[in-house]
Amino acid sequence: MQGIKNIIFDLGGVILNINYQLTSEAFVGLGVKHFNELYTQFHGSSLFNGLETGHVSTEEFLAEMQRHVPEGVTGEQITGAWNAMLLDFPLQRLQLLQQLRQHYNLYLLSNTNAIHLAEFNRLLQESRGIPSLGEFFDKAYYSHLMGCRKPDAECYQMVLDENGLLAEETLFIDDTLPNIEGAKAVGLQTIHLQAPRTIMDIFRPAGI
């Protein structure tokens, strides 16, 4: 951590526990037998990218999903299945963020969408009594509000430029390799967080 003044965190798999399989199972439970194929297609499609960059609205996304579910499945059920992947915020990680903020400038940079943003803030409120993840960061950046997503260079550069940060003084932590490579391309210091390691393993040995 020598020379590091700023830390940019990814959200899912780093701070928030997630399990994509639960969303797959939830959609299968609604009658979408080929959800894994559909999800893979969405990842390579303008629909998914549009949802995560704010160019596709929640309503447009739900309308498209409605085409792939059996008749009678409601928008609320689709939303519930889509959110099933979002699990919990371990208390130790949130406490660690509070400690780190005494020593570093902290930022959040998450590829997400309006549906998930509403849900994980609800989870945080209900489980920890905290209304927003913004409470833990100098600023939180969400791809659907930024108009771009990791690993695009403009995404990282926006965080650096808006906050006057130097890339060489800034550490980026993410669990996805392409996002790490994108961060390296703009000069950020990086840690590729791979399970079973957590952020607790990174900072505890160093005593923060």
Side-chain angles (χ1 to χ4, degrees), residues 62 73-81:
L62 292 176
V73 172
T74 66
E76 283 188 3
Q77 288 176 300
I78 294 171
T79 297

Side-chain angles (χ1 to χ4, degrees), residues 1-205:
M1 296 298 292
Q2 188 171 0
I4 295 297
K5 297 180 180 179
N6 321 294
I7 308 174
I8 304 173
F9 286 90
D10 174 37
L11 177 59
V14 175
I15 298 169
L16 171 67
N17 282 330
I18 56 174
N19 184 344
Y20 293 106
Q21 184 61 29
L22 293 179
T23 280
S24 175
E25 291 172 3
F27 274 107
V28 170
L30 291 178
V32 186
K33 303 303 182 188
H34 60 295
F35 180 75
N36 285 337
E37 292 175 28
L38 193 62
Y39 191 59
T40 300
Q41 290 170 18
F42 281 167
H43 261 282
S45 74
S46 58
L47 176 74
F48 191 84
N49 287 335
L51 185 69
E52 286 205 334
T53 56
H55 298 117
V56 169
S57 69
T58 294
E59 292 73 24
E60 289 169 326
F61 176 74
L62 292 176
E64 175 61 25
M65 287 303 299
Q66 203 84 53
R67 295 178 54 242
H68 301 280
V69 298
E71 188 175 350
V73 172
T74 66
E76 283 188 3
Q77 288 176 300
I78 294 171
T79 297
W82 183 240
N83 285 335
M85 69 178 76
L86 308 178
L87 300 181
D88 66 302
F89 292 95
L91 182 59
Q92 281 187 317
R93 296 180 197 173
L94 299 179
Q95 291 173 331
L96 177 63
L97 291 175
Q98 290 175 323
Q99 291 176 297
L100 287 171
R101 204 169 178 196
Q102 298 174 30
H103 304 275
Y104 304 95
N105 302 310
L106 299 191
Y107 302 91
L108 182 70
L109 179 58
S110 174
N111 283 352
T112 192
N113 56 82
I115 300 172
H116 282 171
L117 175 59
E119 177 64 8
F120 59 66
N121 278 332
R122 185 193 68 79
L123 289 171
L124 189 61
Q125 175 67 55
E126 290 193 357
S127 64
R128 307 298 178 198
I130 299 168
S132 167
L133 273 172
E135 301 281 330
F136 296 94
F137 300 95
D138 291 78
K139 189 165 183 180
Y141 288 87
Y142 303 109
S143 61
H144 70 289
L145 299 177
M146 299 170 74
C148 58
R149 63 196 291 269
K150 300 174 291 187
D152 295 342
E154 63 181 312
C155 207
Y156 309 98
Q157 202 63 51
M158 186 183 298
V159 180
L160 295 174
D161 293 346
E162 286 191 1
N163 299 284
L165 311 180
L166 296 177
E168 61 269 22
E169 296 176 350
T170 305
L171 175 66
F172 174 70
I173 302 172
D174 199 294
D175 65 332
T176 304
L177 185 56
N179 294 345
I180 290 293
E181 292 171 343
K184 285 180 177 178
V186 299
L188 290 166
Q189 307 298 310
T190 63
I191 292 177
H192 182 202
L193 189 65
Q194 296 176 281
R197 289 183 78 210
T198 72
I199 55 173
M200 307 306 298
D201 298 310
I202 295 172
F203 294 104
R204 286 302 188 210

